[in-house]
Amino acid sequence: MPATPEPPPPAPPKPPGPVRRVPWLATLASGLAVLLAGGPVTAVVQGVSWIGYALAAVAVVVAAGLLLHRFGAIVTVLGQCVGVLLVVTIFFGDGALLGFLPGPAALGHFGALLGGAGQQIDASTAPVAATPEILFLVTAAFGLLTVGVYGAAVVARAPAAAGVPLLAVFAVPAALADQLLPWWAMAGAAAGFGLLLVAAGGLHSQLTGGTALVAGAVVVALGIGLVTPFIGTAGRFASGGGSGPTGSIGLTPFAALRGQLEQSTPAQLFEVRGLTHPTYLRALTLRQYVPDKGWEATRPAPGIPLPGPVQQQPDVPGDFVDVDITNLNFRDYWLPLYGEPIDVADLPETQWLYDAASGTGYTGRPRQEDGWRQRAVLPTPSMQQLRAAQGIDGVGLEYLDTTGVDPRVGQIAKEVIGNAGPGFDRVFALQNWFAGPGSQFTYSLQTAPGSGDDALVEFLTTGKTGYCEQFASAMAVMLRTVGVPSRVAIGFTAGVDEGDHRTISTSDAHAWVEAWFPGIGWTAFDPTPLTDGRRIDPPYVEEAEAELASQESAPADEAPAPEPLSGDDQAPEPASPEPTQPDAAPSVESPGVDIPVWPFVAALLAVVIALVPAAMRIRDRRRRLAAVAGGGPEAAGAGWDELLAESTDRGADTPPSDTVRAAARRLVREHHLEPDAQQALRQVIGAVEASWYGGTHPRAGELDEPVRAVAAGIAAGSALSLRGRLLPRSVVQRARDRRAEARASGGGRSEAVTSR
């Protein structure tokens, strides 16, 4: 009978496919990098409410990346985008299905929010209000940018390419900000990108160098920030400098003003029709004085949209005019206007605003309009009306702020006004001191050199030479010291009369003083001793000059003898009140009083996370050495594990197949142990073999010195790299292979060696 053939052996089972490891470290680093790079948003959005929205969007993208990574790149990225959509729907989705599903109504509302955000950005200056439109834009942008960073760093495994979306989240708000970025913004962005490079493994074998490079970049950023103390960009409101537009004033108004005056060939800027008499054309006003720096431009408050009516006809004495301004060559952030504007026309919609408090028309980006029409009142109060208007009603205390002003300035102002009455008489006394017939001051674009003393005091006492900036700055500060609210105005004088119009050029750029009178408002005074015909003397100044001339020409016995005030009769020097500036108008160069805390917390958290492996290694070393010192059954194994860990940290792995003596020979060879260390290693080997195979365990303290001697020999023979200190290989490998080693050997490395 033929033999029955044996059945074929069963096919071996297919090996399981590779398990996708969850890149939790790289994913978390992606989200943290986006948040750190988004620091400049604090300069373009008011308040801190946007941080919560941004954090929610980033957290959802990170969570989706961790949960969906096992399903592949396409599913993960799609899931993240859906997560961003759900976040904006929950926060902003009017008409959402079930409160979180984006239906047609919600999607339509998203389009309206996006369009409104664009209009608000175009028509406002930074920082913009945290409206629902702006918060929607911030939430969506942070979410989608996190998806992009995740895709580059984790999916494509090209963390360096993630610098592109990170640059977007950093550079876009930085370009829109009108103030210099504080140091923590640059340091945070550098730390976030560096953390992403290291965590995503993009540097591989260059991890040590990359870590050092990142640390160096952060240190440099911090160092530069502490020295400057600002770094970054001045954004849309930065001065154009010498290469900028001819008429540019920007947020460095005095530098641009001087640049216009120094032009060898003046450029025509405006043609003005309808002006009834010469008057100043105001571009902007300055209310904040910083000692040793001068007057600084501040952001206007949220204003009234132009074109359109600005105010009802003000109840102040003056001439009603309709002015037509043709723009020839002026491009700037500011819209020059005359007097008290009532209505402004012929401007593009949603581009310009008017801040009534500062008397300034402005836009978010430099613009050059063809022209505009203006209805206004040109105030022409009489001298007696100004004298009757006393006090500070109707104006903020910031216009009396003299914080940091040298006391000698106030003393000089008191000496100048003498026994002049309050209000107008003090203002005229100071103007006449600067620009009157007996003035000792000289107009020149070249200021007198200083001697290291207070710049304002030097100008008032020894220099006495300068151009309109010095004169307007000095008089405005002095007025505040004698109780008169004041500010500096920058713009243009009346220009040249051409018959049917006036032509204003760069040579007419000018600065003057505006003093506050209750019931009348801001009134112009010019302390600059101009002799080229550009000076404007309003009727109230001409009246005061005529009155002074008549008093000086009267017989000496009829002239009242001025007596210096003393005691309670002296003009009181007002205390320097705390400025009550609007929240929307902080100083452009103010040293970062609104620094948020979250970047520092995030950076601290990143540092703590980075130090966790090193802390675990220190804990293991202390635990093992304590067991060695205590003696007993665990002492020998703990000492041997510590020596193997020291070797592993320095890149010398010990195969599990090695016996104790083979592993010891490897230690000697890999780390070039000296004879003393080798002798100590023999003692350790003897103790280990006696404990494991003979049941004789070291006494307390017996093995402590040999183990420490061998560890010191390993350290002397093989230097520990920066990577070895921050990411000890013994800790990393143990965390990585914990489950596999547990299944294979049922315990730690020492038991594997023991069984051989």
Side-chain angles (χ1 to χ4, degrees):
M1 172 181 284
T4 304
E6 296 182 3
K14 295 183 179 181
V19 179
R20 295 178 181 269
R21 292 182 177 272
V22 178
W24 62 271
L25 186 59
T27 304
L28 292 175
S30 299
L32 182 58
V34 172
L35 291 174
L36 290 175
V41 177
T42 58
V44 296
V45 179
Q46 297 177 13
V48 296
S49 60
W50 66 269
I51 298 177
Y53 291 88
L55 185 60
V58 171
V60 167
V61 173
V62 169
L66 295 174
L67 293 174
L68 302 177
H69 179 74
R70 297 181 183 276
F71 299 95
I74 296 178
V75 174
T76 301
V77 173
L78 289 177
Q80 290 174 325
C81 293
V82 171
V84 175
L85 182 59
L86 293 177
V87 169
V88 296
T89 302
I90 292 172
F91 287 147
F92 308 100
D94 287 355
L97 303 176
L98 302 178
F100 66 94
L101 296 178
L107 294 177
H109 185 59
F110 292 161
L113 289 174
L114 190 60
Q119 293 180 0
Q120 186 174 350
I121 292 173
D122 287 336
S124 304
T125 58
V128 297
T131 61
E133 292 83 358
I134 295 298
L135 293 176
F136 169 82
L137 182 62
V138 169
T139 306
F142 268 86
L144 295 177
L145 284 168
T146 308
V147 174
V149 173
Y150 176 90
V154 181
V155 175
R157 297 182 180 179
V164 175
L166 286 178
L167 179 62
V169 75
F170 180 89
V172 170
L176 297 177
D178 62 352
Q179 66 182 37
L180 297 177
L181 297 181
W183 60 266
W184 56 261
M186 183 66 74
F193 184 52
L195 175 65
L196 182 62
L197 288 176
V198 175
L203 299 180
H204 299 292
S205 61
Q206 302 296 324
L207 185 60
T208 300
T211 304
L213 181 63
V214 171
V218 174
V219 170
V220 169
L222 291 174
I224 294 176
L226 293 176
V227 172
T228 49
F230 287 94
I231 55 179
T233 175
R236 295 185 293 175
F237 273 72
S239 172
S243 61
T246 303
S248 179
I249 291 178
L251 286 190
T252 53
F254 285 131
L257 173 62
R258 183 170 186 145
Q260 294 183 31
L261 294 173
E262 289 178 338
Q263 290 186 15
S264 57
T265 303
Q268 294 185 349
L269 298 179
F270 308 104
E271 288 183 356
V272 181
R273 292 172 173 82
L275 204 61
T276 57
H277 59 267
T279 189
Y280 295 103
L281 177 61
R282 181 198 304 115
L284 73 157
T285 62
L286 311 177
R287 69 164 179 264
Q288 179 167 319
Y289 179 78
V290 179
D292 296 326
K293 290 185 178 180
W295 293 81
E296 295 183 349
T298 54
R299 284 187 299 274
I304 303 170
L306 298 178
V310 172
Q311 61 178 326
Q312 299 294 328
Q313 183 171 342
D315 186 20
V316 298
D319 299 330
F320 182 85
V321 295
D322 280 294
V323 182
D324 191 345
I325 301 175
T326 301
N327 188 3
L328 304 177
N329 193 28
F330 183 82
R331 176 182 174 83
D332 214 320
Y333 303 90
W334 315 106
L335 185 71
L337 297 170
Y338 284 105
E340 289 286 342
I342 299 174
D343 186 277
V344 180
D346 294 347
L347 289 174
E349 297 285 345
T350 70
Q351 297 296 334
W352 293 91
L353 299 170
Y354 179 75
D355 174 22
S358 64
T360 302
Y362 64 95
T363 185
R365 296 179 177 88
R367 296 182 58 86
Q368 181 173 342
E369 308 295 354
D370 293 334
W372 54 93
R373 290 186 296 108
Q374 177 191 354
R375 305 183 69 189
V377 170
L378 306 181
T380 56
S382 67
M383 176 181 65
Q384 295 303 327
Q385 288 174 318
L386 291 176
R387 279 179 172 164
Q390 299 181 13
I392 61 173
D393 295 340
V395 70
L397 292 179
E398 63 268 24
Y399 292 101
L400 282 171
D401 182 32
T402 56
T403 303
V405 173
D406 193 302
R408 290 173 291 177
V409 176
Q411 184 60 40
I412 294 171
K414 291 179 182 179
E415 295 174 358
V416 171
I417 66 173
N419 61 352
F424 173 78
D425 289 324
R426 296 181 182 180
V427 180
F428 176 72
L430 286 172
Q431 175 181 303
N432 189 64
W433 185 62
F434 283 113
S439 173
Q440 300 179 4
F441 290 86
T442 304
Y443 176 82
S444 173
L445 289 178
Q446 302 299 322
T447 59
S451 61
D453 199 0
D454 183 88
L456 183 53
V457 174
E458 285 186 359
F459 172 72
L460 295 175
T461 57
T462 59
K464 298 187 177 181
T465 299
Y467 72 111
C468 52
E469 173 192 357
Q470 281 76 31
F471 290 99
S473 298
M475 179 176 172
V477 174
M478 296 174 76
L479 283 175
R480 291 186 175 186
T481 66
V482 295
V484 179
S486 61
R487 67 188 185 188
V488 173
I490 295 180
F492 304 90
T493 57
V496 179
D497 190 353
E498 303 284 356
D500 65 335
H501 69 275
R502 304 189 73 91
T503 299
I504 297 175
S505 70
T506 53
S507 62
D508 297 307
H510 194 51
W512 62 93
V513 174
E514 292 184 346
W516 175 263
F517 294 92
I520 296 176
W522 292 106
T523 307
F525 293 85
D526 194 346
T528 305
L530 294 172
T531 58
D532 55 4
R534 295 189 296 127
R535 180 181 176 83
I536 299 175
D537 282 329
Y540 46 86
V541 172
E542 293 179 344
E543 292 180 52
E545 289 175 342
E547 181 183 76
L548 179 62
S550 65
Q551 292 176 355
E552 292 176 346
S553 62
D557 57 346
E558 296 182 7
E563 297 180 359
L565 298 179
S566 60
D568 296 335
D569 295 330
Q570 285 189 359
E573 180 175 356
S576 299
E578 291 294 330
T580 57
Q581 300 179 7
D583 293 339
S587 171
V588 172
E589 300 181 15
S590 177
V593 294
D594 291 329
I595 294 179
V597 177
W598 72 266
F600 298 98
V601 176
L604 180 60
L605 180 61
V607 172
V608 171
I609 293 175
L611 294 178
V612 167
M616 294 177 64
R617 179 69 182 93
I618 294 173
R619 181 203 61 184
D620 292 343
R621 180 184 296 113
R622 290 178 177 174
R623 178 176 55 80
R624 291 166 181 159
L625 293 179
V628 170
E634 303 296 329
W640 183 241
D641 286 344
E642 175 59 25
L643 296 181
L644 293 180
E646 290 284 356
S647 178
T648 301
D649 289 342
R650 289 161 173 80
D653 292 329
T654 300
S657 59
D658 278 359
T659 63
V660 175
R661 292 185 178 271
R665 288 193 294 270
R666 189 182 298 276
L667 292 181
V668 174
R669 183 174 62 254
E670 293 286 349
H671 305 294
H672 312 286
L673 295 184
E674 297 291 337
D676 292 344
Q678 294 183 29
Q679 180 60 35
L681 181 58
R682 295 188 188 97
Q683 296 180 39
V684 174
I685 294 173
V688 169
E689 292 177 339
S691 178
W692 289 355
Y693 305 130
T696 303
H697 307 297
R699 296 186 302 273
E702 178 182 352
L703 198 58
D704 185 58
E705 185 175 349
V707 169
R708 292 182 182 272
V710 177
I714 294 174
S718 300
L720 191 62
S721 65
L722 179 62
R723 179 202 177 281
R725 295 181 186 276
L726 296 179
L727 295 173
R729 295 180 74 243
S730 60
V731 175
V732 174
Q733 286 185 0
R734 183 180 60 195
R736 182 182 300 167
D737 303 330
R738 185 185 299 267
R739 293 182 181 177
E741 290 181 356
R743 287 194 300 267
S745 61
R749 180 188 302 270
S750 59
E751 291 184 81
V753 175
T754 303
S755 63
R756 302 299 189 272

